[in-house]
Structures are given as C-alpha cells and as structure tokens.
Amino acid sequence: MIDNAQFDYVIVGSGAGGGPLAANLAKAGFKVLLMEAGGDEDSLNYSVPGFNGLSTEDETYRWDYYVRHYADQAQQERDPKFVPSQDGVLYPRASTLGGCTAHNALITVYPSNSDWDRIAEITGDESWNAASMRKYYEKLERCEYLSPAEVIATGHGSSGWLVTEKSDTSGSPQDWQLQTTLQYAVGVANQAHTMGPINPLLDPNTRKVAEEGREGYLTIPLATADHARNGPREFIRQVAAQFPENLTIWTGVYVTRILFADGDDNVAVGVEYLAGRNLYRADPSSGVRCKVTEPTSGKVHVTREVILACGTFNTPQLLMLSGIGPKEHLAEHGISARVNLPGVGRNLQDRYEVGVVFEMDSDWTVNADATFGDDPDFDAALAQWQATRTGVYTSSGSALAFLKRSSPDQPDPDLFVFALAAHFQGYFPRYFSHFEPVRNRFTWAVLKAHTRNTAGEVKLKSADPFDRPYVNFHYFEEGNDTDGRDIAAVVEAVGFARSMMNGSPYVTREVLPGPDIQGNEALTQWVRDQAWGHHCSCTCKIGGSDDPEAVLDGDFRVRGTRNLRVVDASVFPHIPGTFIVLPIYMISEKAATVIIAEARGAVASSEDLMPSTVPATNSSARGGIL
C-alpha cells in the first residue's frame, strides 16, 4: 500500500451500498479506492445458497454484535436468545468483500413504492419518487427466471450486474409431506384469507405488484447466478479486472478516523487506517496477533470525496469517532464535536421477526441427502449442486411465501410470511448447527415490514475505534409506537401462520409459540419475549433542512461538512420494504448517478447519466412451489 496515495474517491466498506458504488464510479472513469476491513476469501459457505446459515457461523466472515432489544433488564432476560455474558442477543454481521451480502439469505424482493415517495416528500426531490427509483432497479437487475418478453412486460431488468433466479430443486428426493403441507397452507390462505397467487408468475418484483400493493402467495427470487451466490463481490471483481487503473481494492484495512483539512469548513480529505486482520472486537478472532501480523497505520487522501458505507452500526460509530454526532454524547468520551449532529446513531430501526414452529410426522425427505458438509463424497446434495446446479442446495431454504396486510387500513402489505423446512427462532451462538440435525420441524417465519418504531440507538461505548458500539432497539412499548400497531401486526401474523397448519395432515404438535400460548395477551407477551430482527437501518437518516435529526441531505451529503457522504442502510429515514438489500442496491445506484453528475457539472438524471450496464442473456427457466 502507498501511504498518502491520491484517489478521486475513497469508499469505506464494500457491502450493498459501497461495493456497487465503487464499481460504478470506476466504470465512469474515476480513480476509486475501496477499503474493506475483512478479506476476500471464497468458500462453499459463500457460494452455495443452501449454506447461507453456515455462512453466518463462518469465522472467516463473521462479525458478532450483541444488541439489546430493551433497556428493561427483566424483559430483556425473558428472551431465550439472550446471552448474559455478552449482555445482549447475537446480531450476525459479515466483514468480507461484499459485506453482509456474503452471508444473507439471498432473498431479493422489491420494496413498496411508498418507501420512495416518502423520501421524495421529505426532501422535496422528485428524483426519489417511485417512478424514478424503479429505473435503478431495472438497471441493476439481470432477471434470469423470466423470458425476455416477460422481463420487458413486467418491468424487470435484463442486463444489470445482479443476476436473479429462482431455485431449481429438480432431482431432489420427492417429499410428499412437504408438498402436502404447502398445498394445504395455500388452500387455507385462499379460502379463509382470500390469499391467491400474487400474480400469474408468482413474482413479487413486477411493476404491477408494487404499484397496486398486491397481496398473495409467491415463490422467492434469489440473488444467484447459475444457482450460486452473486452480488457486489462479483461486480467489484469484474470491474477491477476490466478497469484495474480505476478501481483499487484494499482488504484487511480498518478505518479509524476521517481526516479533515485545516480550517472551519469541515472538508473531508481522507481517512486514517490500520492495516491488519481481526482488529475489530466483533471479529471472533480479534486479539489473536503476533509480530508477523502486527497492524501498520497509514493515511490516504482524496481529491474529491470520502464516502462511508460501513453499515448501520459502524458508519455512525466512525462519524462519532471523527467528531460528528451528538455533542453531549461525544463529550462523554472526550471527543470534541467538529459538527454537532444529534441524529447520528439515532432513529435505529429494524423489522420484527418471530418463528412459528411445528413438529412434523416424520423427517423431511427433500433434504435427506444433505449433510451441509464440504465434501461431496459424503454429501450427495452438494455433489448434485456442483455437478448440475440443481437440487435442494439451489434454495436458500424457502419454497413459498406470502405478502399480506396485517389490517385492511395498511397502505401496503406489511407482513412477509415464508415457509422453512427447518426449525428457526432467531439468532444465538451456533444457532444453525444446533437446529440443523433436527429434520422434522417446519417454520413459518414472520417478518413485520414498515415498522413504526424509530426509537433505537447506536452509541459509543468508548473512544476506542475497535470497541463494538452500544446498540439498543428499544422494542415495542420502550419505543415510540405508542398505539402498539407493530406488535399487534406480529400477533395477527402468528394467527395467520397457525391457521395454515390447523388440520394439516402431517403436523403432530406446535412447538412455538406452543399450545399453552393462547389469547391476545399471552401471544403479545410471547412476541415481546421472542422477537428479533436482522435488517438494521436508518441511523444516519436523510432529511429536510428543517429536521434537526437529519444527518444527510437528499444527495447523501453529511450536513455541516463538505466532500463527505454516506451510502448504506443507515441513510433511510424509514425502513423500506420487506428485505433491505435490494433497496440498498437501488440507493447505491442513485448515489452513483448523483456523484457522477456533480463531478461532471451536470444535472443528475436516472435515465442518461447512470453508468453503463454489462451485457447479459436471459433464460426462460422459472422456479415453482416444491
């Protein structure tokens, strides 16, 4: 590494926001340095869709945060996932090229149009409206599960960097128990809840579904190419190979501070970093060092901008360590406030999730050959995936899902309820390894979207850049959803899931919530005790100039500074859609358009200033219900 090297842009973090942004700026001809704290190692845990649970336990990628859901200790300890020694609940994150896109469940679902229109209203900037933002989705996607004519007719993309497919479980062992269970659920949902197919293609991402806020059942689009994980990592590598003079990638570098020019203008000019692995204390291997691996310090400067894409926890942490944040809180840790921005680290939001779990009559046969090992000689499902890219490992685990309103007055569907042939009740150490051997469990995973609670917070524990921050989501009554609509929606979804299993021929018993948890009061308390999330967002929100809590303007610039932006999940004022990764990809594409336009002295346009796409082909293969 060259100390004090000159780049146009330094981007800190290679995940869903920073990775595509770096690639797009490099393609546009700018010299970009992309800095990633983790490495760039490949593995089966990364590539195989069915191994996404294992990827969250892989120490090569893992950063373990422990977060609180409540300040109330007694209520916090009611959660069976609470780890007393860590004073929190496990919140898996990934530190590697591609960030958390390296270990997510690959689910790629379009957000609601209202998510974008709301930002347009807040900022007064119509480039944020739903029609304008749809163009970014069409640009970045390469849809491979529809025919070319269907792609055009339904508003998908055909030549972007993100390939989307649906699982191909052909060749898997026939599982009448699973097929019957899913068909029974569809029948109940249709007859008792008028929940038919979301559209003839079972696709949640068509333009009409977003425009009309449709409800119904669907099969889930996945971010896979040839049924292997694809995302920012592949895009970054492709662009770096094509434009090596424009895109420089540094892995194993942890940024500790933003550098500013002398004077009162708060002009960002670079970053300070340490080069070394396993430095951050969320890393399970942190503190294991010797003289050979002793980190080295450095600084790097830019000619244009510093862009933070460190994620919802680490972006506000880095801003605060650099003197940008709530003045009083910074003073508690001996940090002088360069810019007093009270909103940094506030407004933390997430989905609420619970698992409604049932015991089945017998073990599943669909995954009977799957050992989740790394040797195809001892894992027939892995051998099939490697040879033909078919079988149970082409799926991230769910064959069927429902988009549903929790109540008729909801403007958009706010529940995503999806089926898993496994036991899943949230995250705790070794959660996947603990439940994987149990092969006779079925879970309806409930996800509450468009949550109303905005009272979570990320705060510094110290001025040490390697300390994990304090994270508290302040769930339910501790938050500002004063009328309790969030928790009522989750309770309603639990009832919906139960109804689809009531009388199902292969169900032997309900494991969670369990037969003893009945009635609204008991179910509400069970949700308080069990709920979790893994789509943290909104801690550096975009807002209008009249909002004292706004951290960014509508062009991602940090207020009170120059040449400093944020492009990651923290920018949203309100948590968007059902699964957050696709909205982050979309704001990354928008940020590229805005930044390129500014650099060229032009007016940003989502039509004629977006970086060019890469050639692609389509296939007509479709996924379906098992």
Side-chain angles (χ1 to χ4, degrees):
M1 298 177 190
I2 303 171
D3 202 26
N4 292 317
Q6 294 291 313
F7 298 90
D8 294 322
Y9 299 95
V10 167
I11 299 177
V12 185
S14 67
L21 178 60
N24 279 323
L25 292 179
K27 287 175 67 177
F30 298 100
K31 294 191 180 302
V32 180
L33 172 63
L34 180 61
M35 306 181 77
E36 167 59 48
D40 62 353
E41 298 87 350
D42 290 318
S43 71
L44 288 173
N45 288 343
Y46 173 85
S47 298
V48 181
F51 284 12
N52 68 88
L54 283 172
S55 69
T56 64
E57 296 183 349
D58 190 329
E59 292 196 4
T60 307
Y61 308 134
R62 228 173 73 204
W63 271 9
D64 296 340
Y65 291 83
Y66 286 86
V67 307
R68 293 187 66 93
H69 297 157
Y70 302 96
D72 184 308
Q73 190 67 22
Q75 175 58 57
Q76 182 62 82
E77 291 181 2
R78 290 176 63 96
D79 189 335
K81 302 179 295 298
F82 178 71
V83 179
S85 63
Q86 298 288 341
D87 194 33
V89 177
L90 177 64
Y91 204 106
R93 301 280 86 186
S95 175
T96 185
L97 192 66
C100 288
T101 68
H103 78 171
N104 67 9
L106 304 154
I107 297 173
T108 307
V109 178
Y110 196 79
S112 301
N113 282 356
S114 61
D115 295 321
W116 305 122
D117 290 338
R118 197 171 186 180
I119 301 178
E121 181 180 355
I122 288 169
T123 60
D125 181 353
E126 286 303 305
S127 72
W128 277 102
N129 68 32
S132 297
M133 293 302 295
R134 181 81 194 187
K135 296 169 186 174
Y136 294 111
Y137 168 67
E138 293 172 9
K139 171 192 173 290
L140 70 90
E141 187 194 26
R142 186 189 312 174
C143 180
E144 295 281 358
Y145 60 89
L146 301 175
S147 70
E150 290 167 339
V151 166
I152 294 170
T154 57
H156 279 274
S158 62
S159 58
W161 57 265
L162 182 73
V163 182
T164 56
E165 300 174 324
K166 292 191 178 181
S167 61
D168 180 0
T169 55
S170 60
S172 300
Q174 194 80 6
D175 196 324
W176 295 111
Q177 180 177 242
L178 180 57
Q179 290 184 27
T180 302
T181 300
L182 295 176
Q183 289 164 0
Y184 184 89
V186 167
V188 171
N190 197 350
Q191 294 169 19
H193 303 277
T194 64
M195 297 283 289
I198 197 161
N199 74 358
L201 302 174
L202 293 177
D203 182 14
N205 295 344
T206 65
R207 186 185 296 110
K208 283 292 186 184
V209 169
E211 289 174 349
E212 299 172 6
R214 291 186 183 178
E215 300 176 276
Y217 67 86
L218 56 103
T219 52
I220 299 175
L222 302 177
T224 61
D226 191 23
H227 299 292
R229 183 187 296 272
N230 88 125
R233 176 181 289 202
E234 288 69 32
F235 188 28
I236 294 163
R237 287 176 172 172
Q238 178 190 29
V239 172
Q242 190 175 2
F243 303 101
E245 72 282 4
N246 290 348
L247 181 55
T248 301
I249 304 166
W250 287 359
T251 57
V253 286
Y254 185 82
V255 173
T256 57
R257 188 164 61 98
I258 304 163
L259 301 175
F260 292 90
D262 294 335
D264 299 327
D265 292 337
N266 297 321
V267 180
V269 295
V271 296
E272 191 171 80
Y273 65 87
L274 282 175
R277 296 293 296 272
N278 315 123
L279 299 176
Y280 195 56
R281 295 192 182 105
D283 189 315
S285 299
S286 67
V288 181
R289 292 205 299 271
C290 63
K291 288 184 179 179
V292 176
T293 61
E294 193 68 25
T296 57
S297 61
K299 298 177 182 179
V300 61
H301 292 86
V302 295
T303 58
R304 290 187 178 275
E305 295 183 359
V306 173
I307 303 169
L308 305 187
C310 317
T312 298
F313 299 155
N314 290 91
T315 287
Q317 181 181 22
L318 182 55
L319 285 172
M320 287 187 282
L321 290 171
S322 304
I324 301 171
K327 181 178 180 179
E328 296 81 5
H329 178 56
L330 299 185
E332 293 172 6
H333 300 287
I335 301 171
S336 298
R338 176 178 288 274
V339 183
N340 180 23
L341 280 183
V344 173
R346 296 182 184 172
N347 196 50
L348 173 63
Q349 297 168 45
D350 207 340
R351 326 269 185 228
Y352 294 117
E353 300 183 49
V354 295
V356 185
V357 183
F358 299 86
E359 185 177 87
M360 308 303 290
D361 182 66
S362 59
D363 286 359
W364 306 111
T365 58
V366 69
N367 59 3
D369 294 335
T371 66
F372 295 91
D374 59 3
D375 188 342
D377 289 338
F378 297 93
D379 189 337
L382 178 60
Q384 179 185 357
W385 179 84
Q386 290 181 327
T388 66
R389 287 296 198 268
T390 62
V392 68
Y393 283 163
T394 68
S395 170
S396 64
S398 182
L400 179 70
F402 291 87
L403 265 174
K404 185 181 183 300
R405 285 174 172 80
S406 59
S407 60
D409 63 343
Q410 285 289 335
D412 298 295
D414 62 321
L415 298 174
F416 194 91
V417 183
F418 56 108
L420 300 169
H423 184 126
F424 184 53
Q425 65 181 89
Y427 299 103
F428 54 89
R430 307 297 292 175
Y431 76 98
F432 180 82
S433 300
H434 180 78
F435 281 117
E436 187 276 322
V438 182
R439 299 294 183 95
N440 67 337
R441 298 283 172 85
F442 182 93
T443 300
W444 284 110
V446 169
L447 183 151
K448 167 67 176 89
H450 299 291
T451 47
R452 296 159 58 88
N453 183 16
T454 64
E457 59 183 344
V458 174
K459 301 173 73 174
L460 297 177
K461 286 183 179 177
S462 74
D464 184 340
F466 303 117
D467 268 355
R468 292 172 294 188
Y470 171 83
V471 180
N472 194 326
F473 287 91
H474 294 294
Y475 275 9
F476 303 121
E477 289 87 351
E478 277 196 9
N480 52 17
D481 177 30
T482 54
D483 60 4
R485 295 185 67 180
D486 282 344
I487 201 166
V490 180
V491 169
E492 195 281 333
V494 171
F496 173 65
R498 279 176 153 178
S499 73
M500 291 190 291
M501 304 300 280
N502 185 22
S504 187
Y506 292 102
V507 173
T508 59
R509 68 183 180 99
E510 181 180 292
V511 179
L512 292 173
D516 295 337
I517 307 297
Q518 301 292 335
N520 186 73
E521 184 176 348
L523 275 173
T524 299
Q525 185 60 53
W526 180 82
V527 170
R528 285 193 195 97
D529 299 344
Q530 293 275 344
W532 76 89
H534 67 293
H535 295 163
C536 56
S537 55
C538 306
T539 51
C540 296
K541 73 173 184 176
I542 289 170
S545 57
D546 59 342
D547 182 356
E549 294 283 312
V551 177
L552 311 175
D553 68 12
D555 288 334
F556 307 94
R557 292 179 291 228
V558 178
R559 295 186 179 278
T561 72
R562 290 169 53 197
N563 300 346
L564 180 61
R565 301 190 206 236
V566 173
V567 182
D568 60 26
S570 68
V571 311
F572 296 106
H574 302 277
I575 188 167
T578 49
F579 289 83
I580 199 166
V581 67
L582 184 53
I584 302 172
Y585 291 154
M586 292 169 69
I587 63 105
S588 181
E589 295 288 337
K590 178 175 174 54
T593 300
V594 167
I595 293 167
I596 292 167
E598 280 193 22
R600 293 175 177 170
V603 177
S605 164
S606 61
E607 293 182 354
D608 56 19
L609 281 175
M610 287 192 292
S612 60
T613 56
V614 294
T617 58
N618 270 312
S619 72
S620 58
R622 299 182 193 167
I625 299 174
L626 285 172

